[in-house]
Amino acid sequence: MSHAKFQDCIQACVACAVACSHCATECLKEEDVKMLAKCIQLDLECAAICRSAAELMSLGSGLSQELCRLCTRICNECAQECEKHAAMGMEHCKECAEMCRKCAAACEQMATAA
Amino acid sequence: MSHAKFQDCIQACVACAVACSHCATECLKEEDVKMLAKCIQLDLECAAICRSAAELMSLGSGLSQELCRLCTRICNECAQECEKHAAMGMEHCKECAEMCRKCAAACEQMATAA
Amino acid sequence: MSHAKFQDCIQACVACAVACSHCATECLKEEDVKMLAKCIQLDLECAAICRSAAELMSLGSGLSQELCRLCTRICNECAQECEKHAAMGMEHCKECAEMCRKCAAACEQMATAA
Amino acid sequence: MSHAKFQDCIQACVACAVACSHCATECLKEEDVKMLAKCIQLDLECAAICRSAAELMSLGSGLSQELCRLCTRICNECAQECEKHAAMGMEHCKECAEMCRKCAAACEQMATAA
């Protein structure tokens, strides 16, 4: 698969990593951090995988698809958690959930491409 | 400084990191890799700093400006090397040089912002 | 400076990054997460800088010393915060503070080496 | 699985990432870089996955085992390539191959742990 074909997925991964790191740091400023602990944890895991997937795809690695498969899973898990808080009005969680869902979709497409 | 203000610089950094990693891997496929050794080395250093700067800014870190100052330096150095090969027709070096120059400018603005 | 000379500092940085990420995740499991919010934030920033410093040194980058200078600062800041909670019996903060102090010392030596 | 159980595998991953980045930069200084292009490429992919696996394990992520499975594969692939050059006397490839084999073994154990 070419770098060009990877481009959309790379963009989705880096945008998701940025949103997750940002969400984590904003969650830490909220009044009820305890309630957001799981969200922060998933943000950190998701950001780490997304950064790694973006790097591997940029390098045109043969492992990109397998990493994207893992990325889809953690992105959906993180989105699901963020969506709970988005529903309560937390803007950073809303933005993060959207980026996670987009990234999950892009990574799934990448993972299953021939 | 807010996450929103960081956004342009973060985008420039992640785009530069992707272009640098991609340039490195494309350089490794060229006939005369030896001539591109310095370019590959700078690509790797630049990608590492850019990824780190993007992460720190996403976290809203107080060290973001200082890291952006380093980022400007390595981006300009990498751009200068890539431009030599861009002039010889290497597309990946041309694209990388452009991303590096944009990132250097964005990081300089960030580093000197009040 | 040679890779061999970098070795101790690289080790200190990677150990510190691991301790910081681990401290963040353990803090998130504590009863009073709110009290630990600043600690978690500094853990994340410190881990990001340490990983980056280790990568740059592994690459033998000319920017290693400057990055180590930033690393010393964030390590000391993170250590100071962790030490408060270490005094209250939190083992992960105690371990993290120790790794941060070691890393700050190693990075300072690196940053000021001729 | 606890952080303590992850410790050996984390150490193997960070040591491997450092060795791979170092091997890449040393390969770039060799006379015949062309011959080492595949080695450099695998070094970069392996370093990226190893850093990511170490970060995920430090965070105690539930995806650690799956990432370790990918890590085993790229480590063995990188070791196989490095061993060719190690046999020709390249010290950085010899060291890198050893770290890769150790990391592959540690990651395999992690990936298959109950």
Side-chain angles (χ1 to χ4, degrees), chain A residues 40-112:
Chain A
I40 299 168
Q41 173 70 26
L42 290 171
D43 281 338
L44 301 183
E45 298 182 22
C46 191
I49 295 269
C50 283
R51 280 197 309 269
S52 178
E55 189 175 357
L56 268 283
M57 283 187 280
S58 302
L59 291 169
S61 168
L63 283 181
S64 299
Q65 289 187 296
E66 306 244 21
L67 201 54
C68 282
R69 195 165 292 132
L70 295 186
C71 206
T72 300
R73 279 173 47 188
I74 190 75
C75 282
N76 279 327
E77 207 179 338
C78 189
Q80 196 171 7
E81 182 65 23
C82 276
E83 281 157 6
K84 295 180 198 168
H85 312 298
M88 295 163 62
M90 289 191 188
E91 203 50 43
H92 48 85
C93 283
K94 185 167 174 286
E95 183 198 331
C96 188
E98 285 170 7
M99 293 299 120
C100 284
R101 291 294 184 197
K102 275 187 198 171
C103 188
C107 282
E108 185 150 39
Q109 204 170 13
M110 176 61 53
T112 55

Side-chain angles (χ1 to χ4, degrees), chain B residues 31-102:
Chain B
E31 201 51 51
D32 191 354
V33 187
K34 181 76 183 161
M35 181 191 68
L36 295 160
K38 190 185 173 188
C39 183
I40 298 167
Q41 173 70 25
L42 290 171
D43 281 339
L44 300 182
E45 298 183 22
C46 192
I49 296 269
C50 284
R51 279 196 310 267
S52 179
E55 188 176 356
L56 268 283
M57 284 188 279
S58 302
L59 290 169
S61 168
L63 283 181
S64 299
Q65 289 187 297
E66 305 245 22
L67 201 56
C68 282
R69 195 164 293 132
L70 295 186
C71 205
T72 300
R73 279 173 49 189
I74 191 74
C75 282
N76 278 326
E77 208 179 337
C78 189
Q80 197 171 5
E81 183 65 22
C82 275
E83 281 158 5
K84 295 181 198 168
H85 312 300
M88 295 163 63
M90 290 191 187
E91 203 52 42
H92 48 84
C93 282
K94 185 166 174 289
E95 182 198 333
C96 187
E98 285 170 6
M99 293 298 120
C100 284
R101 292 293 185 197
K102 275 187 198 170

Side-chain angles (χ1 to χ4, degrees), chain A residues 21 24-26 28-34 36-38 40-41 44-45 51 55, chain C residues 21 24-26 28-34 36-38 40-41 44-45 51 55:
Chain A
S21 289
T25 203
E26 291 302 316
L28 288 169
K29 295 176 193 162
E30 296 285 351
E31 202 51 51
D32 191 354
V33 187
K34 182 75 185 162
L36 296 159
K38 190 185 173 189
I40 299 168
Q41 173 70 26
L44 301 183
E45 298 182 22
R51 280 197 309 269
E55 189 175 357
Chain C
S21 289
T25 205
E26 291 301 316
L28 288 168
K29 294 176 195 163
E30 296 285 351
E31 201 50 52
D32 191 354
V33 187
K34 182 75 183 162
L36 295 160
K38 191 184 172 189
I40 298 168
Q41 173 69 27
L44 301 183
E45 297 183 22
R51 280 196 309 268
E55 188 174 358

Side-chain angles (χ1 to χ4, degrees), chain D residues 51-70:
Chain D
R51 280 196 309 269
S52 179
E55 188 175 356
L56 267 284
M57 284 188 279
S58 302
L59 291 169
S61 168
L63 283 182
S64 300
Q65 288 187 297
E66 306 244 22
L67 201 55
C68 282
R69 194 165 294 131
L70 294 186

Side-chain angles (χ1 to χ4, degrees), chain D residues 1-18:
Chain D
M1 217 170 307
S2 70
H3 176 64
K5 284 191 196 153
F6 282 359
Q7 280 295 74
D8 286 353
C9 192
I10 291 173
Q11 286 310 313
C13 284
V14 294
C16 188
V18 168

Side-chain angles (χ1 to χ4, degrees), chain C residues 70-81:
Chain C
L70 295 186
C71 206
T72 300
R73 278 173 49 188
I74 191 73
C75 283
N76 278 326
E77 208 179 337
C78 189
Q80 197 171 6
E81 183 64 24

